[in-house]
Short mmCIF file of all heavy atoms in Angstrom, two decimals:
data_model
loop_
_atom_site.label_atom_id
_atom_site.label_comp_id
_atom_site.label_asym_id
_atom_site.label_seq_id
_atom_site.Cartn_x
_atom_site.Cartn_y
_atom_site.Cartn_z
N GLU C 8 99.16 102.35 74.16
CA GLU C 8 98.07 102.14 75.11
C GLU C 8 98.61 101.25 76.22
O GLU C 8 99.12 100.17 75.95
CB GLU C 8 96.87 101.45 74.46
CG GLU C 8 95.82 101.10 75.51
CD GLU C 8 94.60 100.37 74.95
OE1 GLU C 8 93.68 101.05 74.55
OE2 GLU C 8 94.61 99.13 74.94
N LEU C 9 98.51 101.74 77.44
CA LEU C 9 98.98 100.87 78.50
C LEU C 9 98.14 100.98 79.75
O LEU C 9 97.48 101.99 79.99
CB LEU C 9 100.47 101.10 78.79
CG LEU C 9 100.98 102.47 79.21
CD1 LEU C 9 100.78 102.67 80.71
CD2 LEU C 9 102.46 102.55 78.89
N PHE C 10 98.16 99.92 80.49
CA PHE C 10 97.52 99.93 81.79
C PHE C 10 98.48 100.56 82.77
O PHE C 10 99.60 100.08 82.95
CB PHE C 10 97.20 98.51 82.26
CG PHE C 10 96.09 97.87 81.50
CD1 PHE C 10 96.27 96.64 80.88
CD2 PHE C 10 94.86 98.48 81.40
CE1 PHE C 10 95.24 96.05 80.18
CE2 PHE C 10 93.82 97.89 80.71
CZ PHE C 10 94.02 96.67 80.09
N VAL C 11 98.07 101.66 83.36
CA VAL C 11 98.91 102.32 84.35
C VAL C 11 98.96 101.45 85.60
O VAL C 11 99.99 101.27 86.21
CB VAL C 11 98.35 103.71 84.68
CG1 VAL C 11 99.11 104.33 85.84
CG2 VAL C 11 98.41 104.59 83.46
N SER C 12 97.82 100.94 85.97
CA SER C 12 97.79 100.13 87.18
C SER C 12 96.53 99.31 87.17
O SER C 12 95.61 99.51 86.40
CB SER C 12 97.77 101.03 88.41
OG SER C 12 96.55 101.75 88.44
N GLY C 13 96.50 98.37 88.08
CA GLY C 13 95.28 97.64 88.35
C GLY C 13 95.12 96.37 87.55
O GLY C 13 94.50 95.44 88.01
N ARG C 14 95.71 96.32 86.35
CA ARG C 14 95.38 95.16 85.56
C ARG C 14 96.56 94.24 85.38
O ARG C 14 97.41 94.44 84.54
CB ARG C 14 94.85 95.58 84.18
CG ARG C 14 93.67 96.45 84.30
CD ARG C 14 92.41 95.91 83.79
NE ARG C 14 92.20 94.50 83.85
CZ ARG C 14 91.00 93.97 83.66
NH1 ARG C 14 89.98 94.70 83.41
NH2 ARG C 14 90.85 92.68 83.72
N ASN C 15 96.56 93.22 86.19
CA ASN C 15 97.56 92.19 85.99
C ASN C 15 96.97 90.91 86.52
O ASN C 15 97.59 90.15 87.23
CB ASN C 15 98.83 92.57 86.75
CG ASN C 15 100.01 91.81 86.23
OD1 ASN C 15 99.93 91.19 85.17
ND2 ASN C 15 101.09 91.81 86.97
N ILE C 16 95.70 90.71 86.18
CA ILE C 16 94.95 89.62 86.78
C ILE C 16 95.23 88.32 86.04
O ILE C 16 95.14 88.26 84.82
CB ILE C 16 93.44 89.95 86.74
CG1 ILE C 16 93.19 91.25 87.48
CG2 ILE C 16 92.63 88.82 87.33
CD1 ILE C 16 91.76 91.67 87.50
N PRO C 17 95.61 87.29 86.79
CA PRO C 17 95.94 86.03 86.15
C PRO C 17 94.78 85.54 85.27
O PRO C 17 93.62 85.63 85.67
CB PRO C 17 96.16 85.06 87.33
CG PRO C 17 96.11 85.85 88.58
CD PRO C 17 95.70 87.25 88.26
N ASN C 18 95.11 85.07 84.09
CA ASN C 18 94.15 84.52 83.13
C ASN C 18 93.25 85.57 82.49
O ASN C 18 92.38 85.24 81.70
CB ASN C 18 93.27 83.44 83.76
CG ASN C 18 94.08 82.22 84.12
OD1 ASN C 18 95.05 81.92 83.45
ND2 ASN C 18 93.71 81.56 85.18
N ILE C 19 93.41 86.82 82.86
CA ILE C 19 92.60 87.86 82.19
C ILE C 19 93.49 88.87 81.50
O ILE C 19 93.21 89.31 80.40
CB ILE C 19 91.65 88.53 83.20
CG1 ILE C 19 90.67 87.46 83.74
CG2 ILE C 19 90.91 89.69 82.57
CD1 ILE C 19 89.50 87.98 84.47
N ASP C 20 94.61 89.23 82.14
CA ASP C 20 95.53 90.17 81.54
C ASP C 20 96.83 89.47 81.19
O ASP C 20 97.27 88.61 81.93
CB ASP C 20 95.81 91.32 82.51
CG ASP C 20 94.53 92.07 82.86
OD1 ASP C 20 93.78 92.37 81.94
OD2 ASP C 20 94.31 92.30 84.05
N PRO C 21 97.49 89.83 80.13
CA PRO C 21 97.07 90.83 79.14
C PRO C 21 96.01 90.30 78.19
O PRO C 21 95.32 91.09 77.57
CB PRO C 21 98.36 91.14 78.38
CG PRO C 21 99.17 89.90 78.52
CD PRO C 21 98.80 89.27 79.82
N VAL C 22 95.89 88.97 78.05
CA VAL C 22 94.81 88.45 77.22
C VAL C 22 93.99 87.45 78.02
O VAL C 22 94.51 86.77 78.90
CB VAL C 22 95.32 87.75 75.93
CG1 VAL C 22 95.85 88.75 74.95
CG2 VAL C 22 96.33 86.69 76.27
N LEU C 23 92.74 87.39 77.67
CA LEU C 23 91.83 86.49 78.36
C LEU C 23 92.27 85.06 78.15
O LEU C 23 92.58 84.64 77.03
CB LEU C 23 90.44 86.71 77.75
CG LEU C 23 89.25 86.51 78.66
CD1 LEU C 23 89.36 87.47 79.84
CD2 LEU C 23 87.98 86.78 77.89
N HIS C 24 92.32 84.30 79.23
CA HIS C 24 92.55 82.87 79.10
C HIS C 24 91.78 82.18 80.22
O HIS C 24 92.33 81.49 81.07
CB HIS C 24 94.05 82.57 79.16
CG HIS C 24 94.39 81.20 78.69
ND1 HIS C 24 94.09 80.75 77.43
CD2 HIS C 24 94.97 80.15 79.32
CE1 HIS C 24 94.49 79.49 77.31
NE2 HIS C 24 95.02 79.11 78.44
N VAL C 25 90.49 82.43 80.20
CA VAL C 25 89.62 81.96 81.28
C VAL C 25 89.25 80.50 81.06
O VAL C 25 89.14 79.72 81.99
CB VAL C 25 88.35 82.84 81.32
CG1 VAL C 25 87.31 82.24 82.23
CG2 VAL C 25 88.72 84.24 81.79
N TRP C 26 89.06 80.16 79.80
CA TRP C 26 88.73 78.77 79.48
C TRP C 26 89.97 78.06 78.98
O TRP C 26 90.62 78.49 78.04
CB TRP C 26 87.63 78.74 78.42
CG TRP C 26 86.29 79.11 78.98
CD1 TRP C 26 85.93 79.17 80.31
CD2 TRP C 26 85.12 79.48 78.25
NE1 TRP C 26 84.63 79.55 80.43
CE2 TRP C 26 84.09 79.74 79.19
CE3 TRP C 26 84.83 79.59 76.89
CZ2 TRP C 26 82.81 80.13 78.81
CZ3 TRP C 26 83.55 79.98 76.51
CH2 TRP C 26 82.56 80.23 77.46
N HIS C 27 90.28 76.96 79.61
CA HIS C 27 91.50 76.24 79.25
C HIS C 27 91.14 75.03 78.40
O HIS C 27 90.46 75.18 77.41
CB HIS C 27 92.25 75.89 80.53
CG HIS C 27 92.54 77.10 81.36
ND1 HIS C 27 91.81 77.44 82.49
CD2 HIS C 27 93.41 78.11 81.19
CE1 HIS C 27 92.25 78.58 82.98
NE2 HIS C 27 93.24 79.01 82.21
N TRP C 28 91.56 73.82 78.81
CA TRP C 28 91.30 72.65 77.96
C TRP C 28 89.88 72.12 78.13
O TRP C 28 89.36 71.43 77.26
CB TRP C 28 92.32 71.55 78.26
CG TRP C 28 92.36 71.15 79.72
CD1 TRP C 28 93.16 71.68 80.68
CD2 TRP C 28 91.55 70.16 80.37
NE1 TRP C 28 92.91 71.09 81.89
CE2 TRP C 28 91.93 70.15 81.73
CE3 TRP C 28 90.55 69.27 79.93
CZ2 TRP C 28 91.33 69.30 82.66
CZ3 TRP C 28 89.97 68.42 80.86
CH2 TRP C 28 90.35 68.44 82.22
N HIS C 29 89.27 72.45 79.26
CA HIS C 29 87.99 71.82 79.56
C HIS C 29 86.91 72.11 78.53
O HIS C 29 86.23 71.20 78.06
CB HIS C 29 87.47 72.29 80.92
CG HIS C 29 88.51 72.34 81.99
ND1 HIS C 29 89.42 73.36 82.10
CD2 HIS C 29 88.77 71.50 82.99
CE1 HIS C 29 90.21 73.13 83.14
NE2 HIS C 29 89.84 72.01 83.70
N ILE C 30 86.77 73.41 78.22
CA ILE C 30 85.67 73.79 77.35
C ILE C 30 85.84 73.24 75.93
O ILE C 30 84.90 72.65 75.39
CB ILE C 30 85.48 75.33 77.36
CG1 ILE C 30 85.10 75.80 78.77
CG2 ILE C 30 84.45 75.78 76.34
CD1 ILE C 30 83.71 75.38 79.25
N PRO C 31 87.03 73.35 75.32
CA PRO C 31 87.15 72.75 73.99
C PRO C 31 86.90 71.23 74.01
O PRO C 31 86.26 70.70 73.11
CB PRO C 31 88.59 73.07 73.56
CG PRO C 31 89.23 73.78 74.68
CD PRO C 31 88.18 74.19 75.65
N LEU C 32 87.37 70.56 75.04
CA LEU C 32 87.16 69.12 75.11
C LEU C 32 85.66 68.83 75.23
O LEU C 32 85.11 67.95 74.56
CB LEU C 32 87.91 68.54 76.32
CG LEU C 32 87.74 67.03 76.51
CD1 LEU C 32 88.42 66.29 75.36
CD2 LEU C 32 88.30 66.56 77.85
N TYR C 33 85.02 69.62 76.08
CA TYR C 33 83.58 69.49 76.31
C TYR C 33 82.82 69.71 75.01
O TYR C 33 81.91 68.96 74.66
CB TYR C 33 83.23 70.49 77.40
CG TYR C 33 81.80 70.90 77.57
CD1 TYR C 33 80.86 70.01 78.11
CD2 TYR C 33 81.39 72.19 77.26
CE1 TYR C 33 79.55 70.42 78.31
CE2 TYR C 33 80.08 72.60 77.46
CZ TYR C 33 79.16 71.71 77.98
OH TYR C 33 77.88 72.11 78.18
N LEU C 34 83.23 70.72 74.27
CA LEU C 34 82.57 71.00 73.00
C LEU C 34 82.80 69.87 72.00
O LEU C 34 81.90 69.48 71.27
CB LEU C 34 83.08 72.33 72.42
CG LEU C 34 82.69 73.59 73.18
CD1 LEU C 34 83.30 74.82 72.50
CD2 LEU C 34 81.18 73.71 73.27
N PHE C 35 84.00 69.34 72.01
CA PHE C 35 84.32 68.26 71.07
C PHE C 35 83.49 67.03 71.39
O PHE C 35 82.85 66.44 70.51
CB PHE C 35 85.82 67.92 71.17
CG PHE C 35 86.19 66.67 70.44
CD1 PHE C 35 86.27 66.67 69.05
CD2 PHE C 35 86.46 65.51 71.14
CE1 PHE C 35 86.61 65.51 68.37
CE2 PHE C 35 86.80 64.34 70.46
CZ PHE C 35 86.87 64.35 69.07
N LEU C 36 83.48 66.67 72.66
CA LEU C 36 82.75 65.45 73.05
C LEU C 36 81.25 65.63 72.85
O LEU C 36 80.56 64.71 72.42
CB LEU C 36 83.08 65.10 74.51
CG LEU C 36 84.53 64.68 74.75
CD1 LEU C 36 84.81 64.53 76.24
CD2 LEU C 36 84.85 63.39 74.00
N GLY C 37 80.78 66.83 73.12
CA GLY C 37 79.35 67.13 72.89
C GLY C 37 79.01 66.98 71.42
O GLY C 37 78.00 66.36 71.07
N GLY C 38 79.87 67.50 70.57
CA GLY C 38 79.63 67.42 69.13
C GLY C 38 79.68 65.98 68.66
O GLY C 38 78.84 65.54 67.86
N LEU C 39 80.64 65.25 69.18
CA LEU C 39 80.80 63.84 68.80
C LEU C 39 79.54 63.05 69.20
O LEU C 39 78.97 62.30 68.40
CB LEU C 39 82.04 63.26 69.49
CG LEU C 39 82.32 61.77 69.31
CD1 LEU C 39 82.60 61.45 67.85
CD2 LEU C 39 83.48 61.32 70.19
N ALA C 40 79.11 63.25 70.43
CA ALA C 40 77.92 62.55 70.94
C ALA C 40 76.71 62.92 70.10
O ALA C 40 75.91 62.05 69.72
CB ALA C 40 77.70 62.90 72.42
N ALA C 41 76.60 64.21 69.81
CA ALA C 41 75.47 64.66 69.01
C ALA C 41 75.47 63.95 67.66
O ALA C 41 74.44 63.45 67.20
CB ALA C 41 75.53 66.17 68.81
N GLY C 42 76.66 63.87 67.03
CA GLY C 42 76.77 63.21 65.73
C GLY C 42 76.37 61.74 65.81
O GLY C 42 75.56 61.25 65.01
N LEU C 43 76.89 61.05 66.80
CA LEU C 43 76.62 59.62 66.94
C LEU C 43 75.13 59.37 67.13
O LEU C 43 74.54 58.49 66.50
CB LEU C 43 77.40 59.06 68.13
CG LEU C 43 78.92 58.95 67.93
CD1 LEU C 43 79.61 58.67 69.26
CD2 LEU C 43 79.24 57.86 66.90
N ILE C 44 74.53 60.15 68.04
CA ILE C 44 73.12 59.93 68.33
C ILE C 44 72.25 60.32 67.14
O ILE C 44 71.27 59.66 66.82
CB ILE C 44 72.71 60.72 69.60
CG1 ILE C 44 73.47 60.16 70.80
CG2 ILE C 44 71.22 60.63 69.83
CD1 ILE C 44 73.32 60.98 72.06
N PHE C 45 72.68 61.37 66.46
CA PHE C 45 71.94 61.80 65.29
C PHE C 45 71.84 60.66 64.26
O PHE C 45 70.76 60.30 63.81
CB PHE C 45 72.61 63.02 64.66
CG PHE C 45 72.01 63.46 63.36
CD1 PHE C 45 70.88 64.29 63.36
CD2 PHE C 45 72.54 63.05 62.15
CE1 PHE C 45 70.32 64.70 62.16
CE2 PHE C 45 71.98 63.44 60.94
CZ PHE C 45 70.87 64.27 60.94
N PHE C 46 73.01 60.13 63.93
CA PHE C 46 73.00 59.07 62.91
C PHE C 46 72.21 57.86 63.39
O PHE C 46 71.41 57.28 62.65
CB PHE C 46 74.42 58.66 62.54
CG PHE C 46 75.10 59.71 61.72
CD1 PHE C 46 76.27 60.32 62.17
CD2 PHE C 46 74.59 60.09 60.49
CE1 PHE C 46 76.89 61.29 61.41
CE2 PHE C 46 75.22 61.07 59.72
CZ PHE C 46 76.37 61.66 60.18
N ALA C 47 72.42 57.46 64.64
CA ALA C 47 71.75 56.27 65.17
C ALA C 47 70.24 56.44 65.08
O ALA C 47 69.54 55.57 64.55
CB ALA C 47 72.18 56.03 66.61
N THR C 48 69.76 57.54 65.61
CA THR C 48 68.30 57.69 65.66
C THR C 48 67.73 57.97 64.28
O THR C 48 66.63 57.53 63.95
CB THR C 48 67.92 58.82 66.64
OG1 THR C 48 68.65 60.01 66.28
CG2 THR C 48 68.27 58.45 68.07
N TYR C 49 68.49 58.71 63.45
CA TYR C 49 67.98 58.99 62.10
C TYR C 49 67.76 57.69 61.33
O TYR C 49 66.69 57.47 60.76
CB TYR C 49 68.95 59.91 61.35
CG TYR C 49 68.55 60.11 59.90
CD1 TYR C 49 67.49 60.97 59.59
CD2 TYR C 49 69.18 59.42 58.88
CE1 TYR C 49 67.09 61.15 58.28
CE2 TYR C 49 68.79 59.59 57.57
CZ TYR C 49 67.76 60.46 57.26
OH TYR C 49 67.37 60.62 55.97
N PHE C 50 68.76 56.84 61.33
CA PHE C 50 68.62 55.60 60.55
C PHE C 50 67.62 54.68 61.20
O PHE C 50 66.96 53.89 60.53
CB PHE C 50 69.98 54.92 60.38
CG PHE C 50 70.86 55.70 59.43
CD1 PHE C 50 72.12 56.13 59.81
CD2 PHE C 50 70.39 55.99 58.15
CE1 PHE C 50 72.91 56.85 58.94
CE2 PHE C 50 71.19 56.72 57.28
CZ PHE C 50 72.45 57.14 57.67
N TYR C 51 67.48 54.78 62.52
CA TYR C 51 66.49 53.94 63.19
C TYR C 51 65.09 54.36 62.76
O TYR C 51 64.30 53.54 62.29
CB TYR C 51 66.63 54.04 64.70
CG TYR C 51 65.60 53.22 65.43
CD1 TYR C 51 65.76 51.84 65.61
CD2 TYR C 51 64.42 53.81 65.89
CE1 TYR C 51 64.81 51.09 66.25
CE2 TYR C 51 63.45 53.08 66.53
CZ TYR C 51 63.64 51.71 66.72
OH TYR C 51 62.68 50.98 67.35
N VAL C 52 64.78 55.64 62.90
CA VAL C 52 63.41 56.06 62.60
C VAL C 52 63.12 55.94 61.11
O VAL C 52 61.98 55.73 60.72
CB VAL C 52 63.08 57.49 63.08
CG1 VAL C 52 63.15 57.59 64.59
CG2 VAL C 52 63.97 58.52 62.42
N SER C 53 64.16 56.04 60.28
CA SER C 53 63.87 55.88 58.85
C SER C 53 63.94 54.40 58.44
O SER C 53 63.95 54.08 57.26
CB SER C 53 64.82 56.74 58.01
OG SER C 53 66.15 56.48 58.39
N GLY C 54 64.02 53.53 59.45
CA GLY C 54 63.90 52.10 59.19
C GLY C 54 65.08 51.48 58.49
O GLY C 54 64.95 50.50 57.77
N LYS C 55 66.26 52.07 58.65
CA LYS C 55 67.42 51.53 57.94
C LYS C 55 68.41 50.86 58.88
O LYS C 55 69.60 50.77 58.56
CB LYS C 55 68.10 52.66 57.15
CG LYS C 55 67.22 53.16 56.01
CD LYS C 55 67.92 54.26 55.24
CE LYS C 55 66.98 54.79 54.15
NZ LYS C 55 67.23 56.21 53.87
N THR C 56 67.89 50.40 60.02
CA THR C 56 68.76 49.77 61.01
C THR C 56 69.62 48.67 60.40
O THR C 56 70.81 48.57 60.70
CB THR C 56 67.92 49.19 62.15
OG1 THR C 56 67.01 50.19 62.60
CG2 THR C 56 68.80 48.73 63.30
N ASP C 57 69.04 47.91 59.51
CA ASP C 57 69.80 46.77 58.98
C ASP C 57 70.91 47.21 58.05
O ASP C 57 71.96 46.59 57.97
CB ASP C 57 68.86 45.83 58.24
CG ASP C 57 67.88 45.22 59.22
OD1 ASP C 57 68.21 45.26 60.45
OD2 ASP C 57 66.82 44.76 58.80
#
Side-chain angles (χ1 to χ4, degrees):
Chain C
E8 174 182 271
L9 58 83
F10 289 125
V11 173
S12 66
R14 302 245 31 166
N15 199 13
I16 302 180
N18 293 328
I19 297 193
D20 299 314
V22 288
L23 212 59
H24 195 59
V25 169
W26 286 345
H27 305 102
W28 55 269
H29 316 79
I30 297 291
L32 179 67
Y33 162 72
L34 292 179
F35 170 75
L36 293 172
L39 175 64
L43 289 168
I44 295 171
F45 174 84
F46 288 119
T48 53
Y49 174 76
F50 289 124
Y51 178 82
V52 296
S53 52
K55 293 180 183 150
T56 310
D57 295 341

